[in-house]
Amino acid sequence: MKKLLFHLLLLTAAVTTQAQDAVDYQIPPKEMAELLLAKPTPSVSVDGKGEWMLLSGRNSYPSVEELAMPEYRIAGLRINPNNYSPSRQTYINSFSLKDIKTGASFNITGLPSPLYAGNVSWNPGQKKIAFTQTTQKGVDLYVIDIIAKKAVKINRQALNVVLGPGISWIDSETLLYRVAVKPASQAPAKPLMPKGPTVQQNLGKAAPSVTYQDLIKSPYDEQLFEFYATAQLVKNKNGVETPIAKPAIYSSVRTSPDKNYLLMRTIRKPFSYLVAATGFPSTISITDLNGKLIKLIENLPSSEGTPSGYDNIRNVARGFDWRDDEAATLTWAKPLDSGLIKKQVDFHDAVYALKAPFNGQAKELFKTQTRFRGVSWGDSTLALVEEGLRSKQTMKVSRYNPATGTLETLYERNQTDAYNDPGEPVTTKNKYGRQIIQVLNQGSQLLMNNTTGASDKGDLPFLARFNLQTKKNEIIWRCAEGTYETVVDVLDANKLVLLTRKESQKEVPNYFIKNLVLRIADQQITNFSNPYPQLDGISKEKITYKRADGIDLTGNLYLPKGYDKAKDGPLPVLIWAYPREFNSAADAAQIRGSKDRFITISWASPIYWVTQGYAVLDNAEMPIVAVDGKKPNDTFVAQLKLNAEAAINKLAEMKVGDRNRVAVGGHSYGAFMTANLLAHTNLFKAGIARSGAYNRTLTPFGFQNEERTYWEAPQLYYEMSPFSYADKIKTPLLLIHGDSDNNPGTFPINSERLFNAIKGFGGTTRFVFLPYESHSYSGKENLLHMLWEMNAWLDKYVKNAK
């Protein structure tokens, strides 16, 4: 890492008083650069028997040169034209195995070098692990033999993973996947002379459209999509590839639990110019394992014209999937309200089933009073059905008895009410190798895992037994205060043997075996070291405070190592936040997060500045609450001001923050928040807005959790757009954006136009356009430069402000 920093230093001249005019890549102070480039601790994956652990290591960040590889942006996809895969992926760069019982670690032979792995999948027998290896020439498939500790390449033809990995185990020796049909070199050449203009039309039918990025724009784009998305489905047994059916554009392929059928979703023409590939016309069909058509289930139209509004859907069948607890039963949902949630009906959705051999009539299983979201299968008498409304932030879970057809409510809550979240049911594998609901005590109880465990003391994850008769949740284990421990996996539900991940402010996250029945000492499985020694000694505190209307707020306060407020006085402050909408003031006031988590840092974190002498308030709550029967956003700006004032007042009262030297910042919707605060208040010395949307008319059919369209609420769109008040932004604002942002609502033109508007009115602003970066940034040189830009901005306009 030191060598890398040395080379990066050579790229830049010494920082002078004109440093912010520099266009070459710069690097931030040493501590910040080392934090960014620190190698993260490995991620882990455990087999279903709890015997073996696969450790997967990743490098910090790729170079910008890697991001600059060839790329096509079509049909909502970003494709590397050289290898039939998505561009700009994050890869696994190392593998190792650990015997959980003995603690012994093993290297794996036969791994490709350099390793660019992904899509890890254990086989049903839990003795083999499949993974993909991506190069600029193609994608290969490898299998690790656990006993031999050896990896072997098994594919003959390069894989096609443009529409997703599509890799699944049919049995312990047989894999199903898609391969490329033609060499990438045979891709259609772009004609110099098009056949004619690109024309779209609408003949009097309402067709609202979300503002998707990277859509098909021409007949040539259509040719490219068809070429790169077309694949041959194959099954591979012991290295022998056998084609299944004919080449097609496979959106998804799922094997039935009994391994006798394939549920296929294939994309067909015409391709849309208004929606991404996931919304193209498609065909749902069932074939045998050789690809022979058994049943054509449905021809689905394009998703163009889906009615606006978050609970409105197309008036077609959806959610086709196999029932996990039966051999081969297809299920799906269909709206009973024509897809319009405001239609006055007793039930809004119905769920149907069709059993093999699929030549009978579909059977209605149950109906839901709100919008059906999904079902988790258990056995012949138990399934859990979830339904809800995004517009009202509600959800309900019911017990469905397949034998009797009854649907009984178990619990319902507001989705923003974290305190009353009972957790998610623990699952186990059935005879088909499918994950089904784990039941205890002759089927009378569920085991519930809540990996957040929100409470008035902060997040304290827990494991509970849910009684299906009393509908009560009994917590049988909870993370001890002063630590943060989550149940990663339940290795034995009856004996309550768990795999947990435990950490504290001073303890690096590591994995343990915990036995709740025997109550023996936890067995530590990993021993990861601290990747961030530069943060040793800094303090972290969860602070609580009230805004003027009485709503309780929280934030994570970080203070520099060795800081003494009596001696050192109030510090310059960086507040980093992301607004959230609430229909309930009580939910908005709930405490979120834990003060006891080990301090980790990502490229997007504001914690870097605690090493530079700032007080950092991260995750400062910015709730936007529905008031007096209105929608939350009806008072968006006023509530932002209340939130910001409360945070600044709290830090000033604690005598750790200088209220006259405060900066505010955020990413995406947090950037939108930042620009609004600078447009409507004089609370801050500077702002930093990364990859935000600032003109809401560019997302006219709704944004974030606002479902009203521009034409329904034009004044709201105007008032919530900081672009409308660019002439009022006089506080220095640093704008940063990736030039390849792929997020539907944050087109780069947002930052370009806001910068030009502020500049036109004489405001102080700087616009940094990061090459090859998407909505989330990843290029090493770009990230180092981003930190340098932000640090220089904060030092000039906050720390050293007059």
Side-chain angles (χ1 to χ4, degrees):
M1 185 168 62
K2 291 181 178 178
K3 183 177 180 181
L4 172 62
L5 291 176
F6 174 75
H7 285 300
L8 287 169
L9 278 167
L10 295 179
L11 293 175
T12 177
V15 178
T16 69
T17 55
Q18 299 298 315
Q20 289 199 324
D21 295 326
V23 292
D24 292 340
Y25 278 122
Q26 305 288 316
I27 63 169
K30 182 175 179 290
E31 301 94 334
M32 298 175 72
E34 289 180 343
L35 283 170
L36 177 79
L37 299 175
K39 189 178 178 68
T41 57
S43 57
V44 306
S45 175
V46 177
D47 71 358
K49 300 177 181 179
E51 296 176 351
W52 288 95
M53 174 182 283
L54 179 72
L55 289 85
S56 305
R58 287 180 168 85
N59 296 329
S60 52
Y61 299 100
S63 69
V64 172
E65 185 177 16
E66 291 179 68
L67 302 186
M69 292 297 175
E71 180 181 67
Y72 285 148
R73 302 176 188 178
I74 45 177
L77 306 170
R78 294 192 171 183
I79 300 168
N80 185 327
N82 296 331
N83 62 9
Y84 285 96
S85 79
S87 56
R88 307 182 193 182
Q89 301 180 63
T90 300
Y91 298 107
I92 296 167
N93 304 112
S94 68
F95 280 130
S96 63
L97 284 166
K98 180 180 282 287
D99 185 321
I100 291 178
K101 291 183 179 179
T102 67
S105 296
F106 301 91
N107 292 323
I108 301 170
T109 62
L111 293 172
S113 181
L115 182 65
Y116 295 103
N119 308 305
V120 173
S121 174
W122 294 78
N123 77 341
Q126 308 296 288
K127 296 299 182 185
K128 293 183 179 181
I129 306 170
F131 69 89
T132 54
Q133 162 71 3
T134 302
T135 71
Q136 282 302 308
K137 294 182 179 180
V139 179
D140 291 318
L141 185 61
Y142 280 73
V143 170
I144 299 171
D145 186 299
I146 302 296
I147 303 301
K149 319 292 187 304
K150 183 178 181 181
V152 176
K153 176 177 173 292
I154 67 164
N155 65 299
R156 300 294 179 87
Q157 305 172 77
L159 275 62
N160 184 332
V161 295
V162 164
L163 292 177
I167 301 165
S168 61
W169 290 93
I170 296 178
D171 55 45
S172 288
E173 304 298 330
T174 309
L175 279 156
L176 187 71
Y177 53 92
R178 309 166 205 162
V179 298
V181 176
K182 297 178 181 179
S185 59
Q186 294 183 15
K190 186 173 184 178
L192 295 177
M193 177 67 181
K195 293 182 179 179
T198 298
V199 178
Q200 299 183 57
Q201 67 177 359
N202 189 65
L203 302 177
K205 185 177 180 180
S209 179
V210 176
T211 53
Y212 295 108
Q213 304 253 34
D214 305 330
L215 298 180
I216 286 178
K217 297 181 177 65
S218 68
Y220 176 62
D221 283 351
E222 293 187 58
Q223 294 177 42
L224 287 177
F225 172 73
E226 184 173 18
F227 178 85
Y228 284 106
T230 300
Q232 174 67 59
L233 187 65
V234 301
K235 58 182 175 182
N236 185 318
K237 184 169 186 177
N238 298 322
V240 178
E241 290 178 335
T242 304
I244 297 176
K246 296 180 180 179
I249 302 177
Y250 293 99
S251 177
S252 66
V253 179
R254 295 173 183 162
T255 311
S256 63
D258 65 3
K259 310 297 191 295
N260 289 328
Y261 302 98
L262 298 175
L263 172 61
M264 295 188 180
R265 183 175 189 140
T266 53
I267 291 174
R268 67 179 195 276
K269 294 180 177 179
F271 304 142
S272 174
Y273 283 45
L274 294 178
V275 297
T278 52
F280 286 3
S282 61
T283 298
I284 308 294
S285 60
I286 294 176
T287 74
D288 64 16
L289 285 190
N290 295 317
K292 180 183 177 181
L293 181 66
I294 302 297
K295 178 81 171 180
L296 176 62
I297 301 297
E298 194 89 20
N299 280 318
L300 297 175
S302 164
S303 65
E304 291 181 21
T306 299
S308 61
Y310 289 132
D311 296 308
N312 293 330
I313 59 174
R314 291 186 296 167
N315 189 25
V316 297
R318 71 185 193 279
F320 293 91
D321 205 353
W322 296 110
R323 181 170 161 172
D324 294 314
D325 64 329
E326 292 191 342
T329 300
L330 180 66
T331 63
W332 66 91
K334 197 167 185 178
L336 300 175
D337 54 10
S338 302
L340 303 174
I341 199 66
K342 291 185 179 180
K343 190 172 182 179
Q344 297 299 311
V345 293
D346 292 333
F347 298 95
H348 286 275
D349 279 332
V351 173
Y352 302 87
L354 183 64
K355 289 188 176 184
F358 315 107
N359 52 16
Q361 292 295 316
K363 175 186 176 182
E364 181 184 292
L365 299 182
F366 55 83
K367 298 174 182 177
T368 59
Q369 294 177 322
T370 54
R371 192 62 76 208
F372 170 73
R373 290 178 175 172
V375 57
S376 300
W377 298 100
D379 54 30
S380 60
T381 63
L382 173 67
L384 296 181
V385 175
E386 183 178 335
E387 59 181 290
L389 294 174
R390 178 177 173 181
S391 57
K392 295 185 178 180
Q393 299 179 325
T394 60
M395 62 92 68
K396 178 168 72 174
V397 172
S398 302
R399 175 181 183 173
Y400 170 64
N401 186 329
T404 62
T406 57
L407 199 65
E408 176 189 14
T409 300
L410 292 180
Y411 57 89
E412 51 189 321
R413 65 183 180 89
N414 195 301
Q415 287 179 274
T416 58
D417 178 11
Y419 287 2
N420 289 305
D421 181 0
E424 294 295 324
V426 172
T427 61
T428 186
K429 285 188 178 181
N430 62 7
K431 63 181 180 180
Y432 301 116
R434 308 291 279 243
Q435 293 289 342
I436 60 167
I437 299 168
Q438 173 77 58
V439 293
L440 302 173
N441 296 333
Q442 290 77 48
S444 64
Q445 295 179 331
L446 307 180
L447 196 59
M448 306 290 280
N449 185 16
N450 190 317
T451 56
T452 302
S455 75
D456 56 7
K457 296 180 180 180
D459 289 354
L460 293 170
F462 63 79
L463 194 70
R465 290 192 185 100
F466 186 91
N467 189 302
L468 291 168
Q469 278 71 48
T470 65
K471 304 176 185 178
K472 300 294 184 182
N473 216 30
E474 176 197 1
I475 296 177
I476 58 176
W477 170 85
R478 189 156 206 160
C479 163
E481 293 184 42
T483 64
Y484 186 83
E485 187 173 12
T486 60
V487 176
V488 176
D489 197 3
V490 176
L491 304 179
D492 189 320
N494 293 307
K495 296 180 180 179
L496 293 179
V497 180
L498 317 174
L499 176 70
T500 68
R501 183 180 186 270
K502 183 179 180 181
E503 62 188 284
S504 69
Q505 278 202 31
K506 295 183 178 180
E507 294 175 303
V508 177
N510 273 292
Y511 292 82
F512 297 79
I513 299 291
K514 181 184 293 291
N515 192 312
L516 298 185
V517 174
L518 298 180
R519 301 287 180 179
I520 58 178
D522 293 352
Q523 176 191 353
Q524 186 167 344
I525 302 301
T526 62
N527 191 26
F528 300 137
S529 58
N530 181 6
Y532 310 114
Q534 299 85 357
L535 297 179
D536 283 346
I538 74 168
S539 67
K540 176 185 177 182
E541 178 184 0
K542 172 74 72 173
I543 62 171
T544 60
Y545 48 100
K546 286 183 183 291
R547 71 184 201 185
D549 60 0
I551 291 180
D552 292 318
L553 304 175
T554 65
N556 296 326
L557 176 62
Y558 298 86
L559 297 173
K561 178 180 179 180
Y563 171 69
D564 182 338
K565 64 181 179 183
K567 175 183 175 183
D568 301 322
L571 299 171
V573 176
L574 173 58
I575 296 176
W576 202 262
Y578 189 96
R580 293 181 61 199
E581 297 87 352
F582 294 87
N583 288 327
S584 161
D587 291 353
Q590 291 184 352
I591 296 174
R592 295 169 184 81
S594 168
K595 71 180 188 305
D596 298 313
R597 300 203 68 172
F598 183 76
I599 300 174
T600 58
I601 195 164
S602 72
W603 69 267
S605 174
I607 301 174
Y608 293 97
W609 280 274
V610 77
T611 68
Q612 303 304 302
Y614 290 81
V616 176
L617 186 63
D618 191 19
N619 292 320
E621 293 286 352
M622 291 279 173
I624 310 298
V625 185
V627 179
D628 298 330
K630 297 181 179 180
K631 300 275 189 182
N633 282 338
D634 291 341
T635 53
F636 180 83
V637 171
Q639 293 196 58
L640 279 186
K641 184 177 179 181
L642 289 175
N643 295 327
E645 286 176 334
I648 293 172
N649 289 339
K650 176 64 176 180
L651 296 176
E653 290 168 8
M654 293 176 66
K655 297 185 168 58
V656 298
D658 181 348
R659 67 166 60 251
N660 295 312
R661 292 188 297 161
V662 182
V664 64
H667 190 90
S668 194
Y669 209 54
F672 173 71
M673 168 206 74
T674 298
N676 263 305
L677 283 169
L678 267 55
H680 297 285
T681 77
N682 293 312
L683 297 170
F684 301 98
K685 281 294 186 183
I688 298 173
R690 292 193 318 227
S691 296
Y694 311 110
N695 184 346
R696 297 277 46 140
T697 66
L698 296 176
T699 52
F701 285 99
F703 57 91
Q704 206 70 4
N705 284 312
E706 177 56 64
E707 63 176 343
R708 289 169 290 183
T709 69
Y710 167 77
W711 297 273
E712 292 174 301
Q715 191 64 24
L716 175 81
Y717 275 69
Y718 177 86
E719 291 177 355
M720 284 186 68
S721 297
F723 181 81
S724 303
Y725 302 92
D727 59 325
K728 308 297 184 186
I729 300 178
K730 301 303 179 183
T731 302
L733 175 60
L734 174 63
L735 293 163
I736 302 175
H737 217 120
D739 70 2
S740 302
D741 194 332
N742 63 345
N743 191 50
T746 53
F747 299 95
I749 197 173
N750 277 278
S751 292
E752 296 177 64
R753 292 294 182 262
L754 183 60
F755 169 75
N756 285 331
I758 296 172
K759 178 168 66 73
F761 286 105
T764 300
T765 184
R766 180 176 173 89
F767 176 35
V768 181
F769 219 18
L770 299 175
Y772 306 112
E773 294 294 357
S774 189
H775 191 63
S776 178
Y777 312 156
S778 61
K780 182 165 45 190
E781 294 84 357
N782 281 335
L783 293 174
L784 288 165
H785 187 84
M786 176 200 76
L787 293 177
W788 176 84
E789 290 276 5
M790 292 171 64
N791 191 61
W793 196 259
L794 292 171
D795 277 0
K796 181 174 182 178
Y797 293 108
V798 181
K799 180 186 283 188
N800 300 315
K802 296 180 182 178

